[in-house]
Amino acid sequence: MRRYSIFSLMRNALSHHEGWQEAWRSPPPKPAYDVVIIGGGGHGLATAYYLAKEHGINNVAVLERGWLGGGNTGRNTAIVRSDYGLESNSRFYEFSLQIWERLSAELNYNVMLSQRGVLRTMHFEAQANALLRRGNWMRVNGIDAVYLTREEVRRKVPVLDFSPTARFPITGAFIQPRAGIARHDAVAWGFARAADSRGADLIQNCEVTGIRIKSGRIVGVDTTRGPIDAKKIGIAVAGHSGHVAALAGLRLPLETHVLQAMVTEPVKPILDVSVAYGAGHFYTNQTDKGELVMGGDIDGYNSYAQRGNLPLIEHLATAAVTAFPCFGRLRIMRHWAGANDMTMDGSPLITKTPIEGLYLNGGWCLGGFKATPASGFVFAHTIAQDRPHELNMAFSLDRFARGYALDERGVGPHPELH
Ligand SMILES: Cc1cc2nc3c(=O)[nH]c(=O)nc-3n(C[C@H](O)[C@H](O)[C@H](O)COP(=O)(O)OP(=O)(O)OC[C@H]3O[C@@H](n4cnc5c(N)ncnc54)[C@H](O)[C@@H]3O)c2cc1C
């Protein structure tokens, strides 16, 4: 693989940019692999990369039924942070954020990490107490967290509503300054290019339609491009986890819900921090192009539909103008959705399964993009070593049976609330 650099840019400029090497190959599938990863999103691609880099396993195929990064990886609102409260989540997501901080250099691909901070507004006393407790926990564990007074929030984000008639007056805010956003497509493409250069075959338009098992052990998959033998299989299909695991006879403790987002027309720089509005499920950040990306809650019913609907646009628009009255005249340009796999406790699954040689990465709920590098790292470890890494030990499939739920929000077994 040729390195991207100022020199390669200059060299290619001289040939009118017609000589760029393809970022990854598109080989036909081989009859057999050591490891097959189902799902060519960020998690599957990162897993293939770390299998080769950390464990020397490069006879690997990533099978993607559509195009690389076309699932939730290409549909999310790109927020990366590590402001979690539970120890297992906190350590895992902080490990991920630390990888994000060096990822562009490691992959030789600009993932456009912008550590602009993620700020959560406070409006009510109980909410402030909960956020301060979380912030204290983070600081005790060496993770950055800062409390801002109402005046400090006003100076940082003057476009929020600080008028005397504000519907939900802001009393302060909690910010993780190292958090921010990254370019989601670039993450998929960067991991794809790096995995390909280490030997992994990335096979698009290849849907897995069956998982073959012999005497309790994985032997291969059936696909729309023919059967492929495999010694080990990793499932990393996000919102389709339940469906794909069922091909191996597994019933997972999760539900699939639709999560939507939308983006406005571009405007001049107005917001240099990502804001989560504490008086409603609404958050926003401004892209480099100037668009305001807006997201909120999942739809409250199960669905595999990867498209949005008008009630959520109305909800987001209402919250947006409540928090930022000056957004009232912006026009919405695009609106989309992804299928999210919601676990019963809101925490992910990166785990062995009861079937030998079959591993599962899923249950990312609303927030798996930020986990992409760490998830690939520990999933590759779990597959290669046939045992979890210490950072995903808690994310096992049997935690529900053992009574060790990781309920970050403390709402119980209600996927629609996590
Ligand atoms: C609107 C929205 C906003 C979000 N915002 C954020 C955010 O701000 N921050 C954050 O951290 N997270 C966010 N998320 C969640 C995040 O996008 C996901 O958790 C993450 O991208 C999951 O990555 P993945 O690689 O596991 O899945 P995906 O990117 O969905 O990849 C899975 C792939 O598997 C493929 N597949 C499915 N079935 C098969 C099959 N049978 N055979 C072969 N391939 C198959 C799919 O085509 C897909 O490409 C958001 C999600 C949505 C929908």
Side-chain angles (χ1 to χ4, degrees):
M1 177 179 72
R2 286 192 211 134
R3 278 188 68 74
Y4 293 151
S5 68
I6 181 74
F7 303 109
S8 64
L9 191 61
M10 281 159 40
R11 211 172 29 248
N12 280 285
L14 293 176
S15 57
H16 304 283
H17 296 289
E18 283 172 5
W20 286 106
Q21 188 186 17
E22 275 189 337
W24 56 83
R25 301 162 298 130
S26 293
K30 292 193 286 201
Y33 290 92
D34 290 338
V35 179
V36 159
I37 303 292
I38 310 175
H43 291 237
L45 295 164
T47 306
Y49 167 68
Y50 287 116
L51 274 170
K53 176 171 179 262
E54 301 293 327
H55 307 279
I57 301 174
N58 47 22
N59 185 22
V60 175
V62 178
L63 308 182
E64 166 54 49
R65 68 175 187 168
W67 66 96
L68 300 182
N72 288 351
T73 299
R75 294 165 192 263
N76 67 72
T77 45
I79 293 173
V80 299
R81 55 182 173 83
S82 63
D83 53 354
Y84 282 75
L86 292 182
E87 185 174 358
S88 49
N89 288 340
S90 169
R91 290 177 61 224
F92 174 76
Y93 286 104
E94 175 58 18
F95 177 68
S96 201
L97 188 52
Q98 288 175 11
I99 305 182
W100 278 109
E101 287 172 329
R102 52 175 196 271
L103 196 59
S104 293
E106 176 174 341
L107 298 181
N108 180 230
Y109 204 101
N110 189 357
V111 300
M112 300 185 199
L113 176 68
S114 161
Q115 291 179 287
R116 58 185 66 184
V118 171
L119 179 147
R120 296 171 185 281
T121 59
M122 296 173 180
H123 307 259
F124 318 107
E125 200 180 334
Q127 175 191 44
N129 286 341
L131 281 173
L132 291 175
R133 192 165 55 243
R134 198 198 304 183
N136 285 338
W137 158 261
M138 288 166 64
R139 290 176 73 122
V140 164
N141 287 286
I143 303 171
D144 57 321
V146 178
Y147 167 72
L148 302 178
T149 62
R150 177 178 159 89
E151 266 321 298
E152 287 168 329
V153 185
R154 189 206 293 265
R155 277 201 296 277
K156 186 145 188 69
V157 197
V159 284
L160 277 165
D161 190 358
F162 287 95
S163 68
T165 54
R167 186 162 177 206
F168 299 106
I170 294 167
T171 57
F174 160 93
I175 182 169
Q176 182 181 20
R178 282 168 56 244
I181 57 172
R183 174 66 207 232
H184 46 23
D185 297 323
V187 176
W189 299 337
F191 273 121
R193 178 169 170 265
D196 171 87
S197 77
R198 288 176 182 268
D201 286 354
L202 313 180
I203 299 161
Q204 305 184 66
N205 298 313
C206 181
E207 178 169 357
V208 171
T209 52
I211 294 181
R212 282 183 282 118
I213 302 166
K214 210 168 172 183
S215 311
R217 231 211 109 74
I218 284 304
V219 291
V221 288
D222 294 320
T223 78
T224 46
R225 295 179 66 177
I228 300 174
D229 291 344
K231 294 182 190 148
K232 294 183 175 182
I233 296 173
I235 301 174
V237 296
H240 296 86
S241 299
H243 173 68
V244 172
L247 299 176
L250 293 179
R251 186 153 181 252
L252 300 181
L254 50 80
E255 291 179 1
T256 292
H257 287 251
V258 173
L259 180 63
Q260 307 182 39
M262 63 189 199
V263 74
T264 69
E265 61 187 325
V267 288
K268 287 190 176 169
I270 187 172
L271 194 63
D272 62 359
V273 61
S274 178
V275 175
Y277 187 55
H281 201 136
F282 166 76
Y283 60 90
T284 184
N285 59 67
Q286 190 168 23
T287 68
D288 296 338
K289 280 187 284 184
E291 302 155 342
L292 285 143
V293 177
M294 300 179 181
D297 220 338
I298 51 175
D299 292 0
Y301 50 88
N302 302 161
S303 171
Y304 286 102
Q306 294 186 105
R307 60 174 179 271
N309 54 40
L310 288 171
L312 195 105
I313 298 187
E314 187 181 6
H315 173 89
L316 288 183
T318 308
V321 292
T322 307
F324 299 92
C326 65
F327 286 4
R329 293 171 67 185
L330 287 175
R331 277 171 295 193
I332 294 164
M333 277 206 314
R334 292 189 304 278
H335 169 229
W336 66 91
N340 285 39
D341 41 342
M342 308 293 295
T343 54
M344 295 297 141
D345 61 359
S347 294
L349 295 160
I350 312 178
T351 178
K352 292 176 65 168
T353 70
I355 299 164
E356 225 181 304
L358 183 66
Y359 307 84
L360 172 72
N361 175 317
W364 288 105
C365 300
L366 308 190
F369 176 65
K370 68 179 84 65
T372 306
S375 160
F377 188 92
V378 300
F379 195 40
H381 180 283
T382 306
I383 295 172
Q385 313 276 332
D386 196 36
R387 62 185 162 84
H389 187 277
E390 54 145 335
L391 286 171
N392 66 310
M393 204 100 78
F395 301 147
S396 66
L397 192 52
D398 65 0
R399 68 175 183 265
F400 301 99
R402 291 185 294 114
Y404 282 89
L406 303 169
D407 188 354
E408 180 76 34
R409 295 183 72 176
V411 294
H414 298 283
E416 72 284 3
L417 299 178
H418 284 293

